[in-house]
């Protein structure tokens, strides 16, 4: 006799529980931020809604030592992407994918470092910086983001690359390695675990659920963008500079000009909606149907990451069916490639050269 089929009610109940958790936590996060807003208005109403005028970009964004500003238009989507490239054309491609709230400039230390042997391309992801930002939320599904990277690689004239991703860019890098392993010679993820590890861990560990509360807050329309902009983008500054979430005391601090570069980019009209829309589709796209990574992989992790628990890094190795190395920097923050650039660059060089010898 065939074994009895599980009742159809069970998957339905699981889905109900899942979405109840998602929307319930969304409501909780919104309530917390609303209280913060009311407190700010009560304390300093004029300051809350003040925004400094920023008509011109800081000089560091046009620093010629970082590379050349370029654009590429994708035929299928019609979108135009901005990137900064260093190193000679024709060299092997190193493609850099930033996280949130970042843009190409978060890779400034790597653009200078690796141009001696690579064509280094630091991309503004869909919706970020000078890249096009579709208005509809559905345009930021993970399938679209994966297709962007594949199409950009083709448009640049390459079939393979070294792919490096940090934070949300790390998520996309993992997905590219899963879906298109033939495109990636080496994968380097910075402070983001394998996506399957992340989705499983966050449901089982309340502490990580709390650390990832912004994923839930971002599901709410327009309010997250507004909260980021009040007090002249105080929340953005806080992420990079506070003791709880910013670069550690022993890390390389952002200069005043570096910080102003971030505020300039995200203070442009509508500049926050595209980046936050990346997160507004995530609960419909995970968990993954396919999991395994067959590309040689380096995972770099800052132990003082305020947003990701380090235990996820250890579990990630079970999803990589190839050479895998994990290096945890004890004093590194979430912003690792900016925080500890010399160490990060040295570890990347060692990984690339070791793998070259192994090939």
């Amino acid at each position: 006799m065939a074994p009895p089929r599980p009742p159809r009610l069970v998957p339905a109940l699981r889905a109900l529980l899942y979405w109840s958790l998602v929307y319930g936590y969304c409501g909780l996060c919104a309530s917390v931020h609303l209280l913060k807003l009311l407190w700010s208005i009560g304390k300093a109403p004029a300051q809350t809604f003040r925004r400094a005028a920023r008509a011109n970009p800081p000089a560091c964004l046009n620093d010629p030592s970082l590379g050349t500003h370029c654009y590429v238009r994708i035929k299928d989507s019609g979108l135009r992407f901005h990137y900064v490239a260093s190193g000679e054309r024709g060299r092997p491609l190193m493609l850099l994918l930033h996280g949130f709230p970042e843009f190409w400039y978060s890779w400034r230390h790597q653009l200078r470092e690796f141009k001696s042997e690579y064509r280094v391309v630091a991309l503004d992801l869909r919706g970020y910086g000078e890249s096009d930002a579709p208005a509809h939320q559905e345009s930021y599904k993970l399938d679209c983001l994966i297709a962007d990277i594949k199409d950009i690689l083709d448009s640049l004239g390459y079939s393979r690359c070294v792919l490096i991703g940090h934070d949300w860019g790390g998520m996309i890098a993992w997905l590219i390695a899963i879906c298109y392993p033939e495109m990636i010679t080496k994968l380097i993820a910075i402070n983001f675990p394998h996506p399957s590890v992340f989705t499983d861990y966050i449901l089982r560990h309340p502490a990580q659920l709390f650390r990832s509360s912004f994923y839930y807050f971002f599901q709410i329309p327009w309010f997250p963008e507004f909260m980021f902009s009040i007090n002249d983008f105080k929340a953005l500054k806080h992420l990079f500079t506070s003791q709880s979430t910013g670069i550690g005391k022993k890390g390389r601090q952002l200069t005043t000009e570096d910080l102003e570069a971030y505020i300039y980019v995200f203070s442009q009209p509508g500049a926050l909606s595209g980046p936050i829309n990346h997160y507004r589709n995530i609960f419909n796209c995970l968990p993954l149907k396919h999991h395994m990574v067959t590309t040689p992989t380096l995972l770099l992790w800052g132990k003082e990451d305020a947003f990701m628990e380090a235990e996820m890094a250890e579990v990630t190795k079970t999803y990589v069916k190839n050479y895998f190395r994990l290096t945890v920097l004890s004093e590194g923050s979430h912003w690792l490639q900016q925080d500890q650039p010399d160490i990060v660059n040295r570890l990347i060089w060692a990984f690339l050269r070791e793998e070259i010898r192994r090939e």
Side-chain angles (χ1 to χ4, degrees):
M1 292 180 59
R5 294 182 179 179
R8 294 181 179 180
L9 186 60
V10 174
L13 287 174
R14 286 178 178 172
L16 177 63
L17 180 62
Y18 174 75
W19 287 110
S20 296
L21 171 66
V22 170
Y23 288 113
Y25 200 35
C26 286
L28 177 61
C29 293
S31 300
V32 170
H33 284 278
L34 180 59
L35 289 174
K36 289 181 178 180
L37 174 61
L38 294 175
W39 174 263
S40 179
I41 293 173
K43 188 178 179 181
Q47 180 70 18
T48 299
F49 300 105
R50 184 186 69 85
R51 289 180 60 176
R54 294 177 172 88
N56 300 309
C60 61
L61 294 183
N62 292 309
D63 183 348
S65 72
L66 296 177
T68 305
H69 290 260
C70 307
Y71 299 86
V72 60
R73 187 172 296 278
I74 304 304
K75 292 181 180 179
D76 290 344
S77 67
L79 298 179
R80 190 183 76 156
F81 287 85
H82 168 256
Y83 63 93
V84 172
S86 64
E88 294 180 8
R89 296 178 184 272
R91 287 177 174 165
L93 178 64
M94 175 182 285
L95 186 59
L96 309 175
L97 309 180
H98 62 79
F100 175 89
E102 298 174 297
F103 63 111
W104 71 265
Y105 188 70
S106 68
W107 298 107
R108 58 196 176 279
H109 303 296
Q110 289 68 44
L111 282 163
R112 293 190 180 103
E113 177 70 21
F114 295 101
K115 65 182 180 181
S116 60
E117 294 187 20
Y118 288 89
R119 175 69 168 173
V120 187
V121 169
L123 184 68
D124 276 341
L125 296 175
R126 175 186 292 228
Y128 281 83
E130 294 183 52
S131 290
D132 284 348
H136 297 293
Q137 178 180 321
E138 292 74 17
S139 299
Y140 296 87
K141 291 182 177 179
L142 290 177
D143 288 347
C144 298
L145 307 180
I146 295 168
D148 286 345
I149 306 306
K150 181 179 183 297
D151 293 341
I152 287 168
L153 201 67
D154 292 340
S155 298
L156 294 176
Y158 287 88
S159 59
R160 307 183 79 195
C161 71
V162 172
L163 186 61
I164 307 180
H166 168 249
D167 182 71
W168 184 260
M171 160 84 86
I172 298 173
W174 282 111
L175 295 175
I176 291 288
I178 292 168
C179 298
Y180 299 104
E182 70 281 1
M183 290 171 43
I184 313 302
T185 57
K186 302 166 185 71
L187 172 67
I188 301 168
I190 303 177
N191 278 82
F192 201 94
H194 187 285
S196 293
V197 173
F198 178 70
T199 53
D200 181 66
Y201 194 91
I202 197 173
L203 293 174
R204 296 174 184 269
H205 296 80
Q208 182 58 51
L209 187 69
F210 176 77
R211 289 176 182 236
S212 302
S213 60
F214 65 95
Y215 278 70
Y216 297 84
F217 179 52
F218 286 171
Q219 304 310 305
I220 302 165
W222 72 264
F223 190 46
E225 289 93 323
F226 175 73
M227 288 300 295
F228 260 95
S229 67
I230 64 172
N231 292 300
D232 196 32
F233 297 88
K234 182 179 179 180
L236 185 63
K237 302 171 190 175
H238 183 273
L239 284 174
F240 290 111
T241 61
S242 71
Q243 289 187 358
S244 58
T245 64
I247 292 173
K249 292 181 179 179
K250 295 185 179 180
R252 184 175 298 188
Q253 303 295 318
L254 296 184
T255 66
T256 301
E257 190 177 38
D258 290 338
L259 192 57
E260 188 60 29
Y262 281 97
I263 298 171
Y264 170 79
V265 166
F266 288 104
S267 66
Q268 301 307 302
L272 282 164
S273 291
I276 292 176
N277 277 339
H278 279 246
Y279 293 87
R280 288 180 169 139
N281 291 289
I282 189 163
F283 294 110
N284 291 315
C285 300
L286 298 175
L288 304 176
K289 294 181 180 179
H290 306 288
H291 306 277
M292 292 303 169
V293 173
T294 58
T295 305
T297 301
L298 171 66
L299 177 57
L300 299 177
W301 202 277
K303 191 174 182 180
E304 297 302 315
D305 190 328
F307 306 103
M308 295 282 177
E309 293 197 346
E311 287 78 4
M312 291 189 289
E314 290 287 349
V315 183
T316 289
K317 63 184 177 184
T318 62
Y319 289 92
V320 181
K321 301 302 181 184
N322 201 314
Y323 179 87
F324 176 81
R325 180 191 296 170
L326 167 64
T327 301
V328 179
L329 303 185
S330 60
E331 296 177 347
S333 71
H334 179 74
W335 321 103
L336 197 58
Q337 80 274 21
Q338 302 182 77
D339 178 354
Q340 307 280 342
D342 295 336
I343 299 174
V344 166
N345 291 346
R346 190 160 61 247
L347 290 169
I348 291 174
W349 274 126
F351 173 68
L352 295 176
R353 287 166 175 163
E354 178 181 358
E355 287 301 310
I356 289 171
R357 290 198 301 269
R358 290 165 64 96
E359 290 177 349

